[in-house]
Amino acid sequence: MSTTVRDTALFGIVALLLIGTGIIQGWNSALLILNMGLISAIMALGVNLQWGFAGLFNIGVMGFVALGGLAAVLISMPPAPGAWAIGGGWRIILGLLFGAATVVVAVMAQKKLQGRTRVLATLAILIAGFFLYRAVFDGGVAFVEAIDPASAGNIGGLNFGGAENYRDWGWLTLVSWPVGGLLAAGAAWIIGKTALGLRSDYLAIATLGIAEIIIAILKNEDWLARGVKNTIGLPRPVPYEVDLQNDAGFVERAASLGLDPVTASTLYTKMAYAVLFTVVLLILLWLAQKALSSPWGRMMRAIRDNEVAAEAMGKDVKGRHLQIFILGSAICGIAGAMMTTLDGQLTPTSYQPLRFTFLVWVMVIVGGSGNNFGAVLGGMLIWWLWIQVEPLGLSLMNLLSSGLEDGSSLKERMIESAAHMRLLTMGLLMLLVLRFSPRGLIPER
Amino acid sequence: MDFLNAIVALANFVIVPGLAYGAQLAIGALGVTMIYGILRFSNFAHGDTMAFGTAITILFTTLLTGMGITFGPLPTALLALPIGIGATILLLLGTDWAVYKFYRQQKASPVILVIVSMGVMFVMNGIVRFIIGVRDIRFADGERFIVTARGFKEATGLNEGLAIKTTQAITLVVALVVMALLFWFLNKTRTGKSMRAFSDNEDLALLSGINPDWVVKVTWMIVAALATTAGVLYGLDKSFKAFTYFQLLLPIFAAAIVGGLGNPIGAIAGGFVIAFSEVTITYAWKKVLVYLMPESLEPDGLVQLLSTDYKFAVSFAILIIVLLFKPTGLFKGQSV
């Protein structure tokens, strides 16, 4: 069997799984899984770029995804009324500028000065800068967070529709996707500058830490995106179900297909999302394929396989690593913005490393690291499993415990434990693939 | 008097909690550093190993208290600890046999082993959830305090109270015992010496007839004991929750790396460095400064450098600073 046939068959299996879900559990759940599967596939593409192409061990995916989500809020929400006074939003920005300036000056002092003056000057700059930053920044934060804390208390976003009509500017969320990528890329640049020279497992710990810090910032900085109070009601790039149900033409068309308006409207919006996400995925996949087969991609793989040899050939290993680290993180940021758009809300507490970092790694490993189609396949397949393991586990437990009498503690225990099947299955799957097919379902070619 | 009050406030809110937390991190970091030194990879499943050992210990603690057996003023969990350690030893030896052994024989690169340990982490996390669920569990019993804040105030006549929890004292005592045992083992026994030799130079150690399988087995056993002890002490002091243990991975790794990966003394030093930096930077210093500064200069705010939620940022910042300026850690660690 040629490799193309095999790959197509694997994608066919995923399609069959989704269609089967549609027939058994309803098309709404199938489309839900498909949408998140497409987003997961994009995240997997980003990680595959870093790990598969360049061998960079980034386990801070969650942080970049969350930054993308932040971008979705900052672009598509309206500015909060009253927050952008001199003493509010602008003061916060001034404070942040002071903070950034402090770091820049400190780094310059590190480079320019020598000996003991260097240490003393750097420390003095950092300490003075920190207090200056806090003095300016804290006042602004207090001002913004005091404005209507129950429903706002944040700076809001850039949606020029204003607080009343911002939902009419839903296409702005589409703008926020690339912006999410840019935000993640900016963060990746800072991280890469400091941490990329480190050995692989040090880099791993560093990125793990950065991701936790980003989540901590999202949780605690209420002025930014309301912290744990969550931002809800983001505008959407697709029509609202209610509007569709009130549209006579739509109801008529639904009826001609034999669907009631409510089901038809939910399916319609999900399909619209699926089309948008597929377009983004295809563009990114095309770009990634082009990159892989270009001289640049070959150079990347050469660096991955033997850094010393590549350096001897005159390749700038550190520069290339930084480049691909930024690109991969940007893709994760785009996926994060898309996910927040799909959810319509940003909930910082929902970002958990097992779900947003390690699961994406399972996708890449199972799909096949180094192969873009493998990453996409892994993303779709693992996401389907992640959702379906719980119901499957429950029916398995029901079957196993059917011999036991009702109400026995063992039976209750078994049925209860089905909820924890997910992590176990993912881990076993990952270990099995690593052991018996370490190159993944669609290996690198 | 004011000076004494300041000292007591400092001891109560910074020194005592910092010492206890530091000891817990140090024992955890010892486990990570042992695996790195002998098996040469960063074990991402360490947090979940700790959670597993603690979960088993909790189960036996409830069993013991159910049978009416307690440990007097001390927490019953200490009685159940050996059973927890035993179960964890079985789990780790089983994992090594089923998973890691294959890659060791293949001489797989360390980064592959790290990824494999990610898979093990998922599985162990799942097992812990099967065993005990995801709830927040407190299992400390016995006396709560050795010194209560009120008793201290009455005895000394100071404004500030000093409270020392039983669990904090136990943490320090157990940590001292564990560290003494470990160093005695590594420096005085034949197996310990062969482990150090293996860690320093694998080829040379193999050449001089050291049995690698035995060294690896002993390492996993010691790691199981260390991980379970660290987990139980942390759980006694705070509470047990599977997810918190997973998150402990970051400060533990920070401690091990700051001290120098593969170096046991470094791991202990690193644990205390990380713990004290976290506590001092996120502590509201107003309470101490009020006593030390003249009234006119008293601070208005809490004088808290960072909110407590940013404690990860602290371990991380220290990690980066140490790595940038002293890549092998404070004490000389291994560099692969």
Side-chain angles (χ1 to χ4, degrees), chain B residues 45-96:
Chain B
H46 198 74
D48 292 300
T49 313
M50 281 166 61
F52 177 82
T54 317
I56 298 289
T57 310
I58 291 175
L59 284 188
F60 273 92
T61 311
T62 19
L63 196 72
L64 286 176
T65 42
M67 282 161 29
I69 304 171
T70 53
F71 203 4
L74 298 174
T76 321
L78 289 182
L79 283 180
L81 180 62
I83 302 168
I85 292 177
T88 315
I89 288 178
L90 288 182
L91 176 81
L92 288 188
L93 287 180
T95 317
D96 185 69

Side-chain angles (χ1 to χ4, degrees), chain A residues 352-399:
Chain A
Q352 308 231 329
L354 278 175
R355 155 74 184 84
F356 283 100
T357 299
F358 294 106
L359 189 66
V360 180
W361 269 86
V362 177
M363 292 166 182
V364 174
I365 300 285
V366 170
S369 52
N371 190 317
N372 293 316
F373 291 103
V376 172
L377 177 81
M380 309 277 285
L381 183 67
I382 294 294
W383 182 255
W384 183 86
L385 260 182
W386 178 256
I387 296 294
Q388 296 296 355
V389 156
E390 230 175 279
L392 285 179
L394 190 63
S395 42
L396 180 73
M397 286 296 173
N398 275 328
L399 189 71

Side-chain angles (χ1 to χ4, degrees), chain B residues 26-287:
Chain B
I27 306 179
L30 273 175
V32 166
T33 238
M34 293 277 293
I35 297 182
Y36 190 85
I38 310 275
L39 298 158
R40 300 199 161 73
F41 73 97
S42 307
N43 181 15
F44 274 57
H46 198 74
D48 292 300
T49 313
M50 281 166 61
F52 177 82
T54 317
I56 298 289
T57 310
I58 291 175
L59 284 188
F60 273 92
T61 311
T62 19
L63 196 72
L64 286 176
T65 42
M67 282 161 29
I69 304 171
T70 53
F71 203 4
L74 298 174
T76 321
L78 289 182
L79 283 180
L81 180 62
I83 302 168
I85 292 177
T88 315
I89 288 178
L90 288 182
L91 176 81
L92 288 188
L93 287 180
T95 317
D96 185 69
W97 176 79
V99 183
Y100 294 120
K101 197 176 167 194
F102 171 77
Y103 298 96
R104 209 165 41 243
Q105 283 165 353
Q106 296 240 309
K107 299 224 177 291
S109 70
V111 74
I112 298 296
L113 277 164
V114 176
I115 294 178
V116 170
S117 81
M118 261 158 55
V120 174
M121 174 187 84
F122 265 105
V123 174
M124 281 192 185
N125 206 308
I127 293 177
V128 171
R129 285 168 194 229
F130 267 125
I131 295 177
I132 208 156
V134 287
R135 291 164 299 139
D136 203 6
I137 302 170
R138 297 190 155 274
F139 58 101
D141 51 4
E143 287 290 327
R144 259 178 71 67
F145 288 100
I146 291 181
V147 181
T148 60
R150 181 197 280 207
F152 183 84
K153 278 188 205 168
E154 280 167 4
T156 55
L158 291 171
N159 290 334
E160 286 294 328
L162 175 67
I164 300 178
K165 284 198 281 182
T166 321
T167 52
Q168 290 168 331
I170 289 175
T171 299
L172 283 178
V173 173
V174 172
L176 278 178
V177 171
V178 166
M179 289 168 195
L181 272 178
L182 182 69
F183 282 102
W184 170 80
F185 176 80
L186 286 179
N187 290 317
K188 301 285 178 203
T189 63
R190 206 181 150 72
T191 316
K193 281 179 191 167
S194 55
M195 281 170 69
R196 285 195 299 141
F198 193 83
S199 160
D200 282 344
N201 188 332
E202 193 179 336
D203 294 331
L204 213 55
L206 292 178
L207 215 68
S208 43
I210 289 172
N211 178 0
D213 292 336
W214 174 241
V215 168
V216 167
K217 273 202 186 99
V218 174
T219 309
W220 281 117
M221 288 185 213
I222 294 175
V223 167
L226 289 170
T228 312
T229 314
V232 170
L233 290 177
Y234 184 85
L236 281 175
D237 198 14
K238 280 137 189 154
S239 69
F240 174 82
K241 198 177 176 195
F243 185 64
T244 331
Y245 276 60
F246 169 73
Q247 281 192 317
L248 273 180
L249 203 60
L250 188 63
I252 284 179
F253 262 99
I257 294 177
V258 163
L261 261 179
N263 184 326
I265 298 179
I268 295 170
F272 286 104
V273 167
I274 295 289
F276 274 102
S277 341
E278 275 191 14
V279 176
T280 46
I281 291 184
T282 56
Y283 174 61
W285 284 92
K286 181 174 185 170
K287 227 172 152 62

Side-chain angles (χ1 to χ4, degrees), chain A residues 14 17-18 20-22 25-41 270 274 277 342 379-389 391:
Chain A
V14 174
L17 287 175
L18 283 169
T21 313
Q25 295 175 342
W27 291 100
N28 255 318
S29 21
L31 280 173
L32 261 176
I33 297 177
L34 173 68
N35 282 339
M36 269 314 288
L38 289 167
I39 293 176
S40 303
K270 290 198 179 73
F277 292 164
L342 177 67
M380 309 277 285
L381 183 67
I382 294 294
W383 182 255
W384 183 86
L385 260 182
W386 178 256
I387 296 294
Q388 296 296 355
V389 156

